[in-house]
Amino acid sequence: MPKLSLVHRAGVLIAGATFVLGLAGAHPALADDKAAILLPGSINDQSWNALGYSIVKSLEPHGFKTAYSENVADADEGDALRDYASQGYSIVLGHSGRFVSAMEEVAPDFPKVQFIAVSGNEGQAPNVMSIDWNNAQFGCQLGLLSARMSKTHKVGGVYGLQGVPNITAQAGGFRVCATQAGAKVTIIYIKDMEDSAEAKEAALSLIDQGADVLTGKLNAAEAGLVEAAKDKHVYVTGRGYDQTKIAPDLVLTNILEDWPSMIGNVADQVKAGKLFGSFVQYGYNTAPVTGASFGYQPGQAFNPVVPASVVKELDTMASDFGSGKRKLVPTEHDARPGS
């Protein structure tokens, strides 16, 4: 198998990316440790892989020199992981759950290296872990918000990667909580998380069926979902402030994924000598690092059209998740396509 070269770059700029990332909990750079990430695609995609690049760069203020390999093929995963681990990288990330199997094979040979699958849902003791944010909790809030803002009492979701655990969690959470709030829910899955045209077509189909509030979990295709809402003048939620700019009157809020805080929290503990061998999920019950938040624009969580009474309901729901009063584990049936 070909050996992957290590590419080092300083700084990060993701033009037009739909993810807003902070450096919560960072401390002065010591550059004593090294962290690398394997990416399934190009860092210039302004989507999923651009996010992965920004994640590893966010570790620099935590004292890590960073590197990345892009366009890593399935057959090259093991070699790439070994390449970084053998060069003294204390953290090696793979940008999706697909890297877990290769990590489980390689990790026993490098017991002091922390292997991390971004947005995965599995782990292997003592040093293979997955990290994600609690899609069920935030999906549930989107369900409540959508139901409360709907006049037709019909809401819709557009998602990709049917059956992937975090998609099941968010789509299922959306359906469960929108239904509990009195709305009829219809879900459509598309084939390509990056295909804006396909997402727009699916969204228009939902609107034709009477849905007047839309949501979803897509990558670059999220823009197509918002464009459909703009064309038909219905409410929608997004995944970053760029979506607000497309339709400021109609975007109710965006889920802002805080990967730097999640990864940084783990990285600080790894520097202190701790290793993780499980799935770590951040949510309202893991404050102050909750993994995600809502943002309409900087400093404002929701569009002003959202009534204060609805915001209060959403805040109460967050508190209930935080205290453990409310728990939600959506099933594949909850996340099913259709109504």
Side-chain angles (χ1 to χ4, degrees):
M1 297 181 184
K3 188 173 183 179
L4 300 176
S5 62
L6 307 185
V7 183
H8 300 264
R9 298 187 184 181
V12 58
L13 174 64
I14 307 176
T18 60
F19 304 92
V20 178
L21 306 172
L23 295 178
H27 50 71
L30 301 176
D32 292 331
D33 296 278
K34 296 189 292 185
I37 192 167
L38 309 185
L39 303 169
S42 168
I43 65 168
N44 296 315
D45 66 357
Q46 298 186 12
S47 184
W48 178 245
N49 293 284
L51 170 64
Y53 176 62
S54 73
I55 287 173
V56 75
K57 298 303 287 185
S58 76
L59 290 179
E60 292 181 353
H62 291 262
F64 288 83
K65 292 182 178 179
T66 63
Y68 70 93
S69 292
E70 55 187 346
N71 298 309
V72 178
D74 290 2
D76 294 329
E77 291 173 2
D79 283 352
L81 292 168
R82 289 184 182 278
D83 194 7
Y84 282 119
S86 65
Q87 294 184 51
Y89 283 77
S90 55
I91 295 178
V92 183
L93 303 104
H95 197 45
S96 79
R98 81 167 220 202
F99 291 94
V100 171
S101 295
M103 289 177 175
E104 291 174 345
E105 292 182 8
V106 172
D109 295 335
F110 301 93
K112 295 183 179 181
V113 176
Q114 179 67 67
F115 295 91
I116 304 174
V118 176
S119 198
N121 71 317
E122 301 175 68
Q124 175 179 280
N127 60 331
V128 176
M129 73 178 301
S130 292
I131 295 178
D132 207 348
W133 49 280
N134 197 313
N135 281 263
Q137 292 180 357
F138 288 91
C140 180
Q141 286 182 291
L142 290 178
L144 174 61
L145 173 63
S146 298
R148 291 289 184 260
M149 297 301 294
S150 174
K151 294 181 180 179
T152 64
H153 305 294
K154 295 180 180 180
V155 300
V158 180
Y159 302 88
L161 301 177
Q162 182 180 359
V164 170
N166 60 26
I167 299 292
T168 297
Q170 188 171 146
F174 169 69
R175 184 193 293 279
V176 168
C177 297
T179 301
Q180 290 174 348
K184 179 181 178 181
V185 178
T186 304
I187 289 173
I188 293 178
Y189 287 94
I190 64 174
K191 294 181 180 180
D192 189 346
M193 296 276 281
E194 312 296 335
D195 191 335
S196 294
E198 185 183 11
K200 185 173 183 178
E201 181 179 351
L204 291 172
S205 174
L206 291 171
I207 296 168
D208 287 343
Q209 296 175 54
D212 61 350
V213 184
L214 303 177
T215 189
K217 183 181 172 91
L218 303 165
N219 291 334
E222 193 83 10
L225 173 65
V226 179
E227 289 286 358
K230 180 180 180 180
D231 288 353
K232 296 297 184 177
H233 203 76
V234 302
Y235 289 129
V236 66
T237 70
R239 291 188 74 185
Y241 294 137
D242 280 359
Q243 265 97 61
T244 298
K245 294 176 182 178
I246 295 173
D249 295 336
L250 300 170
V251 172
L252 297 174
T253 191
N254 301 283
I255 290 183
L256 308 178
E257 302 173 20
D258 192 2
W259 287 101
S261 289
M262 289 185 281
I263 301 292
N265 181 268
V266 169
D268 288 343
Q269 295 180 72
V270 171
K271 284 175 68 71
K274 183 175 181 178
L275 292 175
F276 296 84
S278 62
F279 173 33
V280 175
Q281 183 172 235
Y282 290 91
Y284 290 116
N285 53 312
T286 61
V289 180
T290 58
S293 63
F294 288 112
Y296 168 71
Q297 61 184 8
Q300 186 175 350
F302 297 97
N303 188 317
V305 301
V306 180
S309 60
V310 175
V311 174
K312 184 176 180 180
E313 278 191 274
L314 294 168
D315 288 343
T316 297
M317 180 178 282
S319 296
D320 288 347
F321 278 126
S323 67
K325 181 179 179 180
R326 179 189 285 264
K327 296 181 180 179
L328 178 63
V329 183
T331 66
E332 290 187 7
H333 179 71
D334 295 327
R336 67 190 181 277
S339 300

